[in-house]
Amino acid sequence: MTWIRFLVKTFAKPLYRFLSKPNKNPLKTQKILLTKILKLNQNTVFGKTHKFHQISSIRKFQEYLSPQPYEYFRPFINSMTQGKTDVLIPGSPLYWGRTAGSTGASKLIPITNRSIRNATRGTLLIYLSYIAENPQAHSKFLDGTVCFFNANPALEYINNIPVGFGTGIFSQSSQNQIWGPIFQKLTYTTGHLFEIKNIQQRYHHLTRETIQKDIHVFSGVTTVVLGLLEVILKYTQQKNPKIKNIRDLFPNYQFSILGGESPKFYERRLFSLIGEKIDYREVYGATEEIIGVQLQDSPGLTPLFHANFLEFTPLNSTERLLIHEVKKNVDYKIIITNFNGLYAYTLGDVIKFIKTDPPLFEFSHREGTINMASEKMTVQQISTALTLTNQQHDCTVVEYCVVGKYTPKPHYIVILEYLAAQNPTDEKEYLKSFNENLMQSNPVYREQVIGIRAIADPILWIVKNGTFFNLEQQNLEAGLPMGQHKIQHLSTNESLLKKFADYIIKEIKLG
């Protein structure tokens, strides 16, 4: 047992209780946080324009600042990129965070040192809560290496301020915190590999470096972790065909922290790749800020009340609710205010509380939908239907894309890549089950398909193994940065269909 493991195992529970204090009285924590944010930023251009010095209560704040999307902040951010200071925040940002563009065009977000500390604290809470559950068994990962698959921390510079993706910024900045030496001792990060421009050479280096380490934890964006583990396995099997799964390479792999996309849909693929089940916890955040973390084995994310002042707007409503006013099983749009210069900022995500005391929520969907005939189909509804269908037919989907096609009549093209030897025995029955589950998930879709027949039955494209990986590599090689290279889960862009055309094994239709 290393000295780090001994210390953390001994003090995990009291340290976790100490760091969790803001969660004991969420409303009080939120009021204090909003006061700090307004006071710190009252002399900025934005603060003066919006009369921060006159705001003395939450209701006053809501009166002075209406919820706004990114475009409202763009002129202020453009001013900052031109070298102006004290615009949205005091001075200049530590980094510029570039979004992956999953909800639209890529955006620049100012990142401050407080935001870095919030992300670090959120990750620390996950680790401490996990260890506190079973100190002896769950602390074992501290005897090995934590591998963090991070994005590029410095894509370019704007007025000497680095521009990077969130996970890259976090990994680089965390090393500069007071616990930097411990962090460096425990953690292997992959940011240095971005200096290798050739994708295949980069993967060879990644494989060579990781298999030499005793890795106990793999962490990062869910789909990136899965994709890179598959790369490592593939490259290793080329030299040693006896290697069957990730467990053969990393026998002590026990835990993951996964974010970016909900791991729930990818569970079967992950466990199949590893060779058995492992523990994992979810972190929910965006470039704008970390929002919530999973602090228990059961599903549910705890809001980080010390990081963002949070407001919640029910769908089809303008009412702005606080944390003590939310209800279970209601969808809410999130509005955040934080130290990154975002005030009453509409994130574009929709969440649902599964518990209110203490508050626990789950990510529901992003506001982007397929909307062929007022059905407003979400990623969550598609994923739920797919997961249920996979269980019913005992198969595993590696990745999927659903494209709305308007001709000759509105319908969905469902593009699925199955895990090798885990595809359905009857593809037509599979498609039928999926459509039924989709109608169960979305009543409006059901009415449009069965009732007024505004939407035709879906068509299933089964594609070759490796299709999504190959297309994403093509995007990387074409110059798209990590994050923007991913194939969207939902789209009405029919040009996507051309990309998949050469990979189709079967086309399945109902009727």
Side-chain angles (χ1 to χ4, degrees):
M1 183 183 295
T2 62
W3 65 270
I4 294 175
R5 182 184 171 195
F6 175 77
L7 284 175
V8 175
K9 182 171 75 77
T10 304
F11 296 105
K13 288 185 178 180
L15 186 53
Y16 175 64
R17 284 195 296 268
F18 174 76
L19 291 176
S20 299
K21 279 186 177 179
N23 298 342
K24 298 298 181 185
N25 190 335
L27 185 59
K28 180 181 178 182
T29 300
Q30 290 278 273
K31 288 178 178 177
I32 293 171
L33 177 66
L34 181 61
T35 300
K36 284 182 179 178
I37 292 171
L38 295 176
K39 185 175 181 181
L40 179 68
N41 296 285
Q42 64 183 356
N43 292 321
T44 63
V45 172
F46 192 95
K48 290 176 180 176
T49 303
H50 294 81
K51 301 176 182 178
F52 280 8
H53 66 285
Q54 294 183 12
I55 300 176
S56 56
S57 67
I58 291 175
R59 296 308 172 196
K60 203 78 170 174
F61 170 77
Q62 293 178 331
E63 179 186 330
Y64 277 39
L65 284 96
S66 57
Q68 298 290 352
Y70 181 81
E71 289 306 312
Y72 183 79
F73 296 88
R74 191 182 290 278
F76 297 95
I77 287 172
N78 288 343
S79 178
M80 294 169 74
T81 60
Q82 292 164 13
K84 301 283 179 60
T85 59
D86 303 324
V87 180
L88 285 171
I89 57 173
S92 300
L94 187 66
Y95 286 89
W96 285 109
R98 175 162 286 162
T99 70
S102 56
T103 58
S106 181
K107 301 172 286 192
L108 285 178
I109 305 294
I111 305 295
T112 63
N113 192 48
R114 287 177 184 262
S115 181
I116 299 296
R117 294 205 301 266
N118 287 336
T120 305
R121 182 170 176 168
T123 305
L124 186 59
L125 277 168
I126 293 177
Y127 280 124
L128 289 173
S129 66
Y130 178 64
I131 294 169
E133 289 173 10
N134 187 338
Q136 184 62 33
H138 289 186
S139 64
K140 286 181 180 178
F141 75 85
L142 294 166
D143 286 337
T145 298
V146 174
C147 177
F148 182 41
F149 291 131
N150 59 292
N152 198 334
L155 301 166
E156 59 177 309
Y157 288 82
I158 297 177
N159 292 322
N160 295 319
I161 298 174
V163 180
F165 289 118
T167 57
I169 292 169
F170 170 66
S171 67
Q172 189 172 76
S173 299
S174 295
Q175 298 178 43
N176 300 324
Q177 304 288 334
I178 192 170
W179 46 82
I182 297 176
F183 181 89
Q184 288 176 309
K185 182 177 176 62
L186 283 175
T187 307
Y188 163 75
T189 61
T190 57
H192 62 286
L193 295 175
F194 286 98
E195 295 175 8
I196 303 170
K197 301 305 178 187
N198 182 284
I199 300 292
Q200 301 308 320
Q201 288 180 11
R202 187 188 302 169
Y203 290 155
H204 276 294
H205 275 78
L206 172 69
T207 303
R208 204 159 47 236
E209 290 183 11
T210 51
I211 62 175
Q212 293 173 2
K213 300 181 185 297
D214 179 23
I215 296 177
H216 290 220
V217 176
F218 284 100
S219 182
V221 173
T222 305
T223 49
V224 172
V225 171
L226 279 166
L228 293 182
L229 286 179
E230 287 170 344
V231 164
I232 292 167
L233 184 61
K234 173 186 172 184
Y235 277 65
T236 309
Q237 286 175 330
Q238 289 173 356
K239 293 186 177 180
N240 185 357
K242 292 183 179 179
I243 299 294
K244 299 300 181 186
N245 50 47
I246 288 296
R247 175 64 74 212
D248 290 342
L249 293 172
F250 307 103
N252 294 315
Y253 177 18
Q254 73 173 90
F255 184 58
S256 276
I257 296 179
L258 302 170
E261 297 187 47
S262 176
K264 195 185 304 179
F265 175 75
Y266 297 95
E267 259 191 9
R268 290 188 67 172
R269 178 182 167 193
L270 176 65
F271 297 156
S272 176
L273 178 63
I274 297 167
E276 62 186 47
K277 288 186 177 182
I278 61 156
D279 296 325
Y280 73 80
R281 298 290 182 270
E282 183 179 357
V283 57
Y284 164 57
T287 306
E288 289 86 345
E289 185 58 275
I290 187 169
I291 311 293
V293 290
Q294 183 182 354
L295 300 177
Q296 67 290 319
D297 182 47
S298 56
L301 295 154
T302 297
L304 292 180
F305 298 111
H306 67 278
N308 300 278
F309 176 71
L310 298 165
E311 299 171 87
F312 308 94
T313 301
L315 301 187
N316 303 316
S317 170
T318 58
E319 189 178 13
R320 295 163 70 177
L321 304 177
L322 304 180
I323 190 62
H324 67 295
E325 298 172 311
V326 297
K327 297 177 181 177
K328 280 176 61 176
N329 300 321
V330 175
D331 280 336
Y332 295 102
K333 291 182 282 187
I334 310 176
I335 303 167
I336 63 172
T337 298
N338 59 33
F339 289 107
N340 285 338
L342 303 173
Y343 311 98
Y345 175 85
T346 53
L347 195 58
D349 285 356
V350 177
I351 65 166
K352 180 184 294 182
F353 282 89
I354 58 176
K355 194 175 180 182
T356 55
D357 187 19
L360 285 179
F361 72 91
E362 61 182 13
F363 174 80
S364 182
H365 62 273
R366 288 197 167 89
E367 289 190 88
T369 61
I370 289 184
N371 195 26
M372 308 293 289
S374 301
E375 79 277 19
K376 296 181 181 177
M377 187 68 71
T378 68
V379 169
Q380 178 68 22
Q381 290 166 337
I382 296 282
S383 295
T384 298
L386 268 179
T387 301
L388 183 56
T389 309
N390 290 339
Q391 291 170 352
Q392 292 167 339
H393 291 262
D394 193 27
C395 54
T396 302
V397 169
V398 171
E399 194 55 280
Y400 74 90
C401 174
V402 177
V403 179
K405 196 168 185 292
Y406 286 94
T407 56
K409 182 179 180 179
H411 65 283
Y412 294 172
I413 303 290
V414 183
I415 306 167
L416 300 182
E417 177 185 333
Y418 294 104
L419 199 63
Q422 292 193 34
N423 52 307
T425 53
D426 189 327
E427 290 98 347
K428 193 168 184 177
E429 279 300 309
Y430 179 95
L431 179 59
K432 183 180 177 182
S433 297
F434 171 72
N435 198 35
E436 289 170 353
N437 291 330
L438 205 55
M439 288 189 280
Q440 187 70 29
S441 177
N442 186 320
V444 178
Y445 173 76
R446 178 183 182 85
E447 176 62 21
Q448 300 290 17
V449 173
I450 293 180
I452 61 177
R453 299 189 179 276
I455 300 177
D457 287 331
I459 296 172
L460 173 61
W461 286 4
I462 300 174
V463 294
K464 300 173 185 176
N465 287 121
T467 294
F468 280 82
F469 179 81
N470 290 337
L471 291 177
E472 287 167 4
Q473 296 316 295
Q474 290 173 22
N475 287 340
L476 281 175
E477 290 165 3
L480 285 178
M482 187 71 73
Q484 292 185 35
H485 74 296
K486 271 192 59 57
I487 304 296
Q488 291 175 284
H489 280 151
L490 298 186
S491 179
T492 52
N493 181 1
E494 294 186 22
S495 65
L496 258 179
L497 299 174
K498 295 177 183 177
K499 293 186 176 183
F500 285 98
D502 293 335
Y503 295 91
I504 301 170
I505 299 173
K506 288 183 181 178
E507 180 180 89
I508 310 296
K509 296 180 179 180
L510 296 175

